[in-house]
Every structure is written in C-alpha cells, then in structure tokens.
Amino acid sequence: MLGELYNRTYSSPKLLFMEKMERNVHIYIEQEVSRVFKAGREILLEIEGRNLSSALHAFKNIADFDLKGLGGISFFKNKYGPQMLINFTGSNPGFSLFVKTGLDRNNIREDYIKKVKEISHFYPAADFYLWNIDSVNAGDWDAVIYSQTLEGFDGFDLYLNLEDGLIKKLWVDNEISRVLDIEFLRHINISEAITCISRFDWQAGVFPEIALCRAFEEYMQLKIPRRADYIRVLLCELFRIANHLGFITGMAHIMGFDTAYSSSFLEKEKVLRIIEIITGSRYFPNFMCIGGIKKDISNEVAGRLKKQIPEIYRNILDIEKILMDDFTLIERLKDTGIIERDEALHYGLSGPNIRASGCRNDLRKDDDFISYGDFSFTVPVGRTGDCFNRLVVRFAEIYQSLKILSQVTGKLPVGEILKKINPAHVDLGRTTLISSIECPHGNIKVYTEVEGNMVDAICVMGPSKNSLSGIGEILRGARFEDVDLIIGSLDISPGELISNSHG
Amino acid sequence: MAGSILKSNLNILVAGFGCCKREIFAARGPLYDIQRFGLNFVTVPENADILVVQGIYNRESLQRMIDIYERMNEPKWVFAVGSCMIDGNIFDRGVRMLEKFREKVKIDMYVPGCPPRPEAFIYAVLKFLDYI
C-alpha cells in the first residue's frame, strides 16, 4: 500500500532531479546551450565546442547544479560526423546529465584531447581519458602487470611506481581493449541492435538489453504487460546473483580460499542453469524485445525456482560463514583499498562499489524502474569503502535479490508477455534515446540515436570504466601484494571497457 | 612416447580479450573439473602447450598474442574459440581476426559458439587428446 501511495502521489526522485536540472540550465546557462533535450529519463544538452568551457565552469561552481562527478567520456559517429558524449553525475550517481558536443572531423584525435583537457581542468577525473603509456617515461615505473596474468585483470595493463613495497604512482593502459570501431552498430535495425548490445556486459548481458528496450518503450509510450515486467525483474535478479557469486568466486580464488571458491562456483552454476532453462543461454540471453519478452516461463520452471531459492539461500549463508569466520582473511580485507564517499562520487563510481563507501544509491529505488516498486527490499550500504565492505555489501545484495525472487515467483501475474509490435514497421523519425539501468557493477547507460527504424549511433557507458578511473586513487599507498585483491574487489567487467574513448 | 607423456599433462594458456574466457575458465571449476583429464591452466607462455585464442583484437593485442605464441616451447598447438575468432568480430565488422592470425600461426582446433559452453571446450580438448 505504501508503495502504491508513493508511486501515485509523487514523481520518482530521478524525475525530480531532471526537472531541477532543466530549470537550472534555463536559468544559468541558456546562452551556452544549443538545445536541451529530454531523452527518456535523462537530460541531454547539446553544446558547441566554444561554449563547453563556460558550461563546465557553471556545472562545477554553481551549487544548484550539484554535479559532483564525471560519469564518463566517449565518442561516436552519427550522420553529422564525429560527436563527443560526456556524462556528469550528481551527488547520487544514478542521476546524471549528458552533454553532446561535435568533434572536428578532420582532426578527431586532437580535438578530442583538447576537449578532455578542458574537462579535466574542472573535473580532474577526466585525466584518465587522456592516459597514454607512450607519454610516460620508461624509467618511471618499477613493475608492470600485464592483462590476464592475474585474476580480475582483463583488458588493461598496470604500470606501477613503487617505494618500499608501497604503490606511489600508477598508470593504466587499456590500449588492448580499445577494439570498438567508430562505425560500430551503425545502419542496423533495432532488433539487431538489441541482440548485439548484450555483448557489452560479459557477466550479465540482460541489463544492456533491458536498458535499450526500455528506451524505446518509453519513447513509444508503450506500457508492457505486467507478467513480462515481472519476468524482467526475475531475470535481472538472477543475473545479479550469478554476477555477485562470480565476484565471490574470484575473491576466494585470489585469497587462495579453495573451499569458498568451489562452493560459490557451484552455486553460481546452479543460478546459471536456471537462467539457461528460462532463456536458453548462460550469459547473453537475447530474451528481451520491445514490448515485452520473447518467451514465457512455464509454471513448472517458476515452481522449480521457488523450490531452489531456500536451498541457494542456505548454501550462500554457509559460504558467508566460512569466509567471515576466518580472521586472517578479514584482517587482509579490512582497511585495504579504501575509497572515501566523496572520492568515489568524484570518480563517478556507482553500484555496490559506491554503496560500500556509504552512499545509498540504487536506481531500482530511485527510478520507478520496471516493477521494482511492487517488491519489498532494502539497499545494503557499507561504511568505510574498503575491500571488506565491498564483499559484505555484495553478500547482502544476494540476500535481497533472493528476497525479490521469492516475491516474484509468489505473485507472478497471469496474462500476455508481449505487446506485439514490429520495430521494422515503426518509423520513429530522428530521435535520441538514453536509458540507464542498475546492473550488478553499477549504472550502465545506453545512448542511442535512431533514424526511422534504423540505428544511427550507439554509445554504451559502463560503470567498470569509472571503477578503473578510480584505481589510481584507491591503489595509491597500497601494498604491492594487495593489487589483485583490490582490483578484484572492484568487480571490473572487461566488456564495458571496449568504448572508443582513450584512457 | 612424447605423445603419451603430453596426453597425461597438458597446460593451457588462454589469451585474448573476450567473453569466451568466462566459459573456458568455468571448465576449471568443481562442476566441470577439467583437471581430471590432466589439463591445467597456466599464465606463463613458456609452460604452455596449448594456446587458446578467443575474443576481440586490435593491432596491439594481435601482436601480443603472436609474441606469446613465439615464446611457447615446441610442441605447441593453437585453439581458436568463439564466433569472434571464427566468423568475424561483431564490434568491428570489417576485421576478420582469424585471417589475420592465420597468416602467422597454424590453428589446430576450432570451437564455435558465442560463447561456447564449457562442455564444448572440454569436448574439443578431449578430441584433440585423441588426435595427438
């Protein structure tokens, strides 16, 4: 009842943020902005290159804007030429503002570097998007950790400057993960884009799919059937549990805790098995479509899932007990890799990583995001932002996800699963759609430009890039032997690193 | 003789930047337990017998892969795993990874799928053990 009262009486906090931002833009920087655009549940500003600096000055110095962090920088190409997309996050990282500005088509690289330098003047976190190991002298680093040599290291190399076994300075080089073509996913139809987009999250492919479908559904004012909405919640939570169990498996492997490694691995496989029964695939479901889902789940599968929830819950409790009862392990995790709340906001961290630092942020609560309003759950929050908190928060999130699953399977509505609509027959005109979703690593944002029924440009901003941009701060002063533990605790999904941006 | 010794213990190095790696490493977990066939995963090229290439590459990572291959001791074999290697890269459609890679090395086994299941990878390795 409370949920209904809340949903019917007030807008979601995210909508309030959007209204406030739009108001502020009109009052403070109307001259600088060429166009203010509401793209789904996000605000997009189009700013000319020469006005970027004054707009950034306003964002940073006018308190009403409350844009504390940098969510990401990327570039893409649409029919008008190369464009740069910048995302700024508020004091709640779920609330963000997008800025689009054109790049000089003859000097893309130089113009990009010039603009990133302008941004880094106001938001120092932007320095990450300029890092290039070629610009660092070979004698400056003492140790290099190449990609894939340790658990959790995939898609980037780490160059470390050490002093007495402590990390003094470090550089991240993600040259090998810059594989995305600037023409990526251009001139394909919408259904193809939904299929391909799941490859951006290698651990939980359903989230980018839902984000893209939601963007189209919001634009078309399409209300999807309640059963489809509930099944989306169910899949989201199953993927969240699988991802967090994968995280625990990785952490146990790094710490050499084989019992916890084996147990959590088996639980993860159980969850993946359920996902596979429902969708037919373990990681990339290709299950969502505009207007609902592609396939219904049978009562037998729902019943089987309901029976397995207590079993999975008990087994995860056991894993938590064996991990948390070991004082050597807790000693290693506590006070290691600390990131304070303000620093985390500054780097645009989101998801469990920022919740471990004490920031209560969750798009499932802040946005009226699919049917999460119908279910009772809490948002676990840590305190100190160290590796221990990041582990504990994820355990707590698994329990909350199991609680949501139990509620979904208990009251799965009967009815249609799809509002039949053929995207090939829909002409959307030329429009921009942005959608963000709370994935297991944080907020993943999908920016899409559509013309007719074809996709003109797609840009995905994943939370793992923010975690990677923050590791310079997190690892400074840490012991060399803790590097893999700290990076493993940030749960960096390599698929999100394949954006066009440098750094 | 060399074949029977190798059959009892083969070291696999998984290289490349791609999502197939998750499924390949799932094979080392307790459910699939690839070690019961005497197969281990290593990260040092000199210790590896089989190089698994998977995922998506740019010029730098392709060069790194070839460096890893050259550091491996003889006899050595190469597996190409996943659709990105075999059919083409979905992130950059103009690039055909396998064609570029095959210019430098010989591929001994192909495992299709996007990503292939752990069972598919184990099946391919077992077939390969019969072959050598």
Side-chain angles (χ1 to χ4, degrees):
Chain A
M1 186 192 160
L2 272 173
E4 284 177 18
L5 189 71
Y6 174 83
N7 285 336
R8 286 175 190 174
T9 315
Y10 305 105
S11 315
S12 74
K14 184 151 187 176
L15 289 178
L16 287 175
F17 173 84
M18 280 175 66
E19 283 165 24
K20 184 181 141 192
M21 271 304 128
E22 205 178 4
R23 209 168 52 224
N24 289 339
V25 167
H26 283 298
I27 291 169
Y28 294 116
I29 52 166
E30 195 165 25
Q31 300 299 319
E32 283 87 348
V33 177
S34 322
R35 190 172 164 224
V36 185
F37 189 74
K38 267 190 187 173
R41 285 170 182 267
E42 307 284 346
I43 292 246
L44 173 71
L45 309 181
E46 284 183 9
I47 299 179
E48 282 185 30
R50 59 192 154 85
N51 293 329
L52 185 64
S53 192
S54 51
L56 289 168
H57 185 268
F59 293 157
K60 190 70 182 175
N61 296 316
I62 297 174
D64 287 346
F65 273 106
D66 190 26
L67 294 171
K68 291 192 173 174
L70 184 73
I73 301 175
S74 194
F75 65 85
F76 61 93
K77 194 174 171 188
N78 62 13
K79 72 183 244 190
Y80 302 113
Q83 309 285 333
M84 185 171 176
L85 189 69
I86 313 153
N87 178 229
F88 299 99
T89 55
S91 51
N92 182 332
F95 304 158
S96 61
L97 180 119
F98 284 82
V99 170
K100 188 172 87 169
T101 179
L103 287 172
D104 182 358
R105 65 178 71 204
N106 299 320
N107 293 309
I108 299 177
R109 188 178 164 80
E110 285 72 25
D111 200 20
Y112 172 84
I113 291 171
K114 188 183 143 209
K115 287 198 167 103
V116 174
K117 278 184 180 162
E118 264 179 44
I119 299 165
S120 70
H121 184 65
F122 298 98
Y123 291 88
D127 279 344
F128 170 76
Y129 298 90
L130 280 176
W131 280 357
N132 189 345
I133 206 65
D134 295 337
S135 61
V136 183
N137 294 325
D140 286 350
W141 65 77
D142 306 312
V144 186
I145 304 175
Y146 284 114
S147 168
Q148 301 173 353
T149 46
L150 294 172
E151 187 82 23
F153 274 71
D154 200 355
F156 60 94
D157 306 330
L158 212 56
Y159 293 75
L160 303 165
N161 184 335
L162 302 165
E163 197 174 87
D164 300 333
L166 300 178
I167 296 161
K168 201 174 153 196
K169 200 171 180 189
L170 66 100
W171 296 268
V172 179
D173 182 23
N174 67 343
E175 176 70 41
I176 68 156
S177 60
R178 285 181 216 150
V179 289
L180 206 62
D181 179 27
I182 197 162
E183 299 274 346
F184 171 65
L185 292 186
R186 287 194 71 201
H187 312 304
I188 61 168
N189 65 40
I190 296 165
S191 311
E192 277 181 311
I194 294 169
T195 307
C196 293
I197 197 102
S198 59
R199 267 68 180 172
F200 273 95
D201 193 341
W202 295 351
Q203 289 161 8
V206 78
F207 290 95
E209 274 183 28
I210 295 181
L212 193 55
C213 289
R214 269 187 78 225
F216 284 106
E217 283 155 10
E218 289 226 3
Y219 182 69
M220 293 191 226
Q221 300 275 310
L222 201 66
K223 189 161 171 57
I224 71 161
R226 209 168 154 79
R227 185 175 175 85
D229 220 0
Y230 273 47
I231 294 172
R232 280 186 181 182
V233 172
L234 185 132
L235 274 174
C236 280
E237 295 314 309
L238 282 171
F239 270 103
R240 199 180 306 280
I241 295 170
N243 179 81
H244 287 350
L245 282 169
F247 168 84
I248 294 161
T249 310
M251 289 291 279
H253 188 63
I254 291 167
M255 292 183 290
F257 209 125
D258 279 354
T259 318
Y261 167 76
S262 303
S263 313
S264 50
F265 183 90
L266 286 172
E267 291 312 305
K268 183 189 168 193
E269 287 295 326
K270 258 185 216 167
V271 178
L272 287 177
R273 181 74 193 133
I274 299 168
I275 292 171
E276 197 180 8
I277 289 170
I278 297 172
T279 67
S281 173
R282 281 155 62 92
Y283 287 105
F284 306 123
N286 189 16
F287 196 68
M288 301 299 149
C289 54
I290 297 170
I293 53 171
K294 285 185 181 168
K295 204 179 139 204
D296 201 357
I297 63 169
S298 64
N299 290 336
E300 191 192 339
V301 172
R304 183 176 164 176
L305 175 60
K306 200 172 182 183
K307 266 187 205 162
Q308 278 200 335
I309 291 169
E311 188 192 326
I312 295 170
Y313 175 67
R314 275 195 301 274
N315 292 344
I316 294 169
L317 270 180
D318 286 345
I319 296 166
E320 190 184 11
K321 203 187 270 178
I322 57 171
L323 272 173
M324 298 303 165
D325 278 0
D326 193 320
F327 76 94
T328 53
L329 195 144
I330 291 174
E331 283 297 309
R332 195 167 170 211
L333 289 169
K334 270 200 168 171
D335 299 330
T336 308
I338 297 175
I339 184 157
E340 299 288 341
R341 183 179 181 275
D342 287 346
E343 284 294 329
L345 283 171
H346 169 75
Y347 285 104
L349 259 67
S350 54
N353 289 339
I354 201 162
R355 289 198 280 275
S357 297
C359 181
R360 193 177 293 275
N361 142 259
D362 195 330
L363 270 186
R364 293 177 295 174
K365 286 277 186 194
D366 299 332
D367 195 359
D368 43 359
F369 164 63
I370 44 183
S371 286
Y372 278 106
D374 295 359
F375 308 110
S376 150
F377 66 101
T378 56
V379 180
V381 178
R383 194 177 287 171
T384 53
D386 56 5
C387 291
F388 180 73
N389 273 260
R390 288 195 277 273
L391 185 63
V392 169
V393 162
R394 281 175 172 92
F395 267 115
E397 279 192 15
I398 293 176
Y399 302 140
Q400 292 303 320
S401 295
L402 286 169
K403 192 176 157 188
I404 296 173
L405 282 182
S406 169
Q407 293 172 64
V408 176
T409 49
K411 53 178 181 184
L412 198 61
V414 182
E416 291 290 311
I417 53 157
L418 180 64
K419 277 258 173 73
K420 285 198 175 101
I421 179 164
N422 188 349
H425 297 158
V426 178
D427 188 357
L428 297 171
R430 182 165 183 91
T431 187
T432 306
L433 311 164
I434 309 176
S435 180
S436 56
I437 191 168
E438 183 76 27
C439 81
H441 331 285
N443 301 338
I444 192 163
K445 293 146 196 159
V446 181
Y447 173 95
T448 323
E449 285 187 16
V450 187
E451 184 154 16
N453 55 14
M454 300 293 273
V455 173
D456 192 23
I458 278 192
C459 189
V460 179
M461 285 186 174
S464 296
K465 203 144 199 172
N466 298 100
S467 305
L468 197 61
S469 74
I471 62 170
E473 185 64 34
I474 302 170
L475 283 175
R476 195 170 296 128
R479 292 198 303 266
F480 179 61
E481 59 267 29
D482 288 336
V483 170
D484 56 345
L485 184 70
I486 294 170
I487 291 185
S489 78
L490 289 168
D491 196 15
I492 292 170
S493 173
E496 291 162 15
L497 304 179
I498 48 171
S499 69
N500 283 322
S501 60
H502 293 254
Chain B
M1 182 65 189
S4 64
I5 292 169
L6 277 169
K7 263 190 180 182
S8 65
N9 184 11
L10 276 176
N11 290 339
I12 302 171
L13 190 148
V14 184
F17 173 67
C19 41
C20 300
K21 203 175 155 192
R22 311 229 149 254
E23 292 291 54
I24 295 167
F25 280 149
R28 78 178 172 192
L31 190 68
Y32 301 103
D33 195 13
I34 201 169
Q35 290 195 339
R36 69 200 145 118
F37 304 114
L39 299 158
N40 305 306
F41 286 99
V42 292
T43 52
V44 181
E46 284 81 359
N47 296 344
D49 303 306
I50 297 174
L51 174 67
V52 174
V53 290
Q54 47 88 39
I56 39 187
Y57 294 86
N58 56 16
R59 203 179 301 146
E60 174 151 325
S61 43
L62 194 70
Q63 187 53 48
R64 190 175 289 190
M65 184 76 58
I66 290 160
D67 291 347
I68 289 173
Y69 180 75
E70 282 169 358
R71 279 172 63 189
M72 285 168 65
N73 294 322
E74 294 284 349
K76 54 188 174 184
W77 298 277
V78 179
F79 282 24
V81 176
S83 294
C84 291
M85 281 304 296
I86 297 168
D87 302 331
N89 179 359
I90 69 155
F91 295 106
D92 196 346
R93 292 184 172 199
V95 180
R96 295 217 167 254
M97 288 300 139
L98 203 59
E99 283 167 19
K100 283 190 176 182
F101 198 66
R102 226 163 16 192
E103 288 169 10
K104 307 275 182 184
V105 300
K106 175 180 166 280
I107 310 276
D108 297 281
M109 182 69 90
Y110 297 92
V111 189
C114 188
R117 290 182 53 88
E119 289 96 329
F121 180 71
I122 295 171
Y123 179 75
V125 177
L126 294 182
K127 278 273 175 201
F128 182 71
L129 286 179
D130 291 341
Y131 165 71
I132 61 166

